[in-house]
Amino acid sequence: MGTSLVPATWPALDDAEVQEVLAGYVGCLGPGVATARPVWHSPRPMSAGGLVEVGTTTVFVKRHDPRVRSIASLRTEHRLAAHLRRRGVAVPKVVVADDGSTVAQVAGGLYEVFARARGEDLYAEVPSWHPYASTRHAAAAGSALARFHVAAAGFDAADRAFGPLVSSVVLAGSSDPGAALDRLLEARPALAAALDRAGAAGAVHRHCVPALERASRVLRHRPRGWAHGDWHPSNLTWWGRGPTASVAEVLDLGLSNRTAAVHDVAVALERSFVPWLSGPGTRLADVDGVDAFLEGYGVRRSWGAGGWRDVADVLPACHVEYALSEVEYFATVAGSDADAALAANDYLIGHCRYFEEGEGAALLEHLRTKA
């Protein structure tokens, strides 16, 4: 949540819990479910998940609060995962329960069970906002995202609605983002109240709406398609451990939605190439990594020379809708006004302001010069 580690919001998985959940998976996992036990817990603070040993097998179990994810939403993710696997993208297989369901309901929680991903989890303990370990990793990640977008084409699910911890282009894809923002806040009074408590409501209109308007001029002319929504090195596993490792599997479709490929590329840059946790004046972007990622993706091949410029126009606003959803999550689900204020001021507004001058403006100029 900042420069230091914080306790996870949700209790860690325990032995009794995973045994109760996996009791519905005996047909697939065998009698070892009776003695299943977690052997590794994800350090991410906004979810509860981990590797669970079941006899001689290891699976990944993830728990959701129904206020954050619905059964229908999780099943859409699972349909997307199956679509991607059929088209050659390696994503962990969803384990199907004995009753044919891919979502288990136990004691008010919703659970997913996945086969363990292949490859090395090189970035498992790396905090958010940290860069790729090498330009070769960045290039490999860019190539893998391009393959993801090609494979996702044709997936026909409708957009996921705006809500806690969801990426979208409800605002950035609108012809009038300012008016769309006003409608969103009117429809979600708890979010509007959280921005007011954080003293951020006016700044959202001053700094985020202009960025959304620039992004809109690109996104309204780009085809919509399902995208990952949270592409960063911790959501990939790798073949090998050195600087030339290649992508093995793609993890976590939790933020996937029907947005646009250029938006997803911008999200990938925003997540991994600016040292957001550094102090002001020291947030120099990893330009070599940016170039390697975009060249690995084939931005020029996909969209022509102007593709670099389009990425520059979308980049300052690509985080806005997820950041708003995060503010709502902290205020209404996690119950932390302090974290909601951090998300509103440092993340939502702070990232928009970064691109207005100095180091952030220099990164945008670099992308436009490449175009």
Side-chain angles (χ1 to χ4, degrees):
M1 297 307 303
T3 57
S4 59
L5 296 176
V6 299
T9 303
W10 305 103
L13 300 172
D14 62 33
D15 292 8
E17 179 182 13
V18 298
Q19 288 164 17
E20 185 175 5
V21 170
L22 296 179
Y25 292 78
V26 175
C28 180
L29 299 178
V33 299
T35 56
R37 63 187 183 91
V39 293
W40 177 84
H41 297 279
S42 169
R44 303 288 165 181
M46 292 188 290
S47 62
L51 294 172
V52 175
E53 192 176 84
V54 186
T56 59
T57 301
T58 301
V59 295
F60 187 84
V61 177
K62 189 170 185 178
R63 183 208 307 130
H64 300 273
D65 187 292
R67 291 171 294 175
V68 179
R69 288 291 179 268
S70 67
I71 294 174
S73 180
L74 292 173
R75 287 176 175 164
T76 297
E77 292 176 35
H78 301 162
R79 285 181 54 218
L80 174 60
H83 177 92
L84 292 167
R85 286 171 62 84
R86 287 194 298 270
R87 302 195 65 179
V89 172
V91 295
K93 187 175 181 179
V94 181
V95 181
V96 179
D98 298 342
D99 65 1
S101 174
T102 58
V103 181
Q105 302 178 67
V106 174
L110 302 178
Y111 296 81
E112 302 172 278
V113 182
F114 298 92
R116 183 173 186 168
R118 299 171 301 161
E120 301 286 341
D121 197 355
L122 297 184
Y123 294 85
E125 304 298 330
V126 176
S128 297
W129 312 122
H130 280 55
Y132 291 88
S134 70
T135 55
R136 291 286 292 273
H137 283 194
S143 297
L145 183 57
R147 293 193 295 274
F148 183 101
H149 289 158
V150 171
F155 184 64
D156 60 358
D159 304 28
R160 296 166 93 174
F162 183 93
L165 305 185
V166 169
S167 182
S168 69
V169 290
V170 173
L171 306 181
S174 167
S175 60
D176 187 343
L181 175 62
D182 290 339
R183 289 192 297 271
L184 179 70
L185 296 179
E186 183 178 358
R188 308 189 79 83
L191 171 58
L195 292 173
D196 284 338
R197 289 195 299 274
V204 172
H205 283 84
R206 286 195 304 275
H207 298 286
C208 300
V209 169
L212 287 165
E213 289 172 343
R214 287 191 295 275
S216 170
R217 290 194 284 271
V218 173
L219 293 173
R220 283 185 291 123
H221 302 289
R222 289 284 182 190
R224 296 287 181 88
W226 275 77
H228 185 275
D230 194 24
W231 194 270
H232 58 79
S234 296
N235 276 340
L236 303 169
T237 59
W238 302 81
W239 295 126
R241 302 194 65 88
T244 62
S246 58
V247 172
E249 296 208 12
V250 178
L251 309 178
D252 197 356
L253 301 178
L255 299 190
S256 59
N257 204 349
R258 199 171 74 92
T259 57
V262 68
H263 183 271
D264 212 25
V265 167
V267 167
L269 299 188
E270 192 269 346
R271 291 286 193 270
S272 301
F273 295 100
V274 177
W276 296 109
L277 302 183
S278 302
T282 61
R283 292 174 177 166
L284 291 170
D286 174 13
V287 172
D288 290 340
V290 167
D291 289 354
F293 185 94
L294 294 179
E295 287 163 4
Y297 184 91
V299 165
R300 192 178 303 273
R301 182 178 65 252
S302 300
W303 305 317
W308 292 74
R309 187 180 298 107
D310 286 351
V311 172
D313 287 344
V314 174
L315 180 55
C318 69
H319 74 291
V320 166
E321 290 166 60
Y322 177 71
L324 285 166
S325 82
E326 195 175 69
V327 173
E328 183 173 33
Y329 163 81
F330 283 124
T332 65
V333 179
S336 172
D337 279 349
D339 285 340
L342 179 69
N345 291 301
D346 290 13
Y347 180 23
L348 171 62
I349 297 164
H351 286 206
C352 284
R353 293 187 65 181
Y354 171 81
F355 290 105
E356 293 174 359
E357 59 186 14
E359 297 144 336
L363 172 57
L364 300 182
E365 182 58 28
H366 170 78
L367 293 171
R368 293 178 177 121
T369 299
K370 292 284 285 191

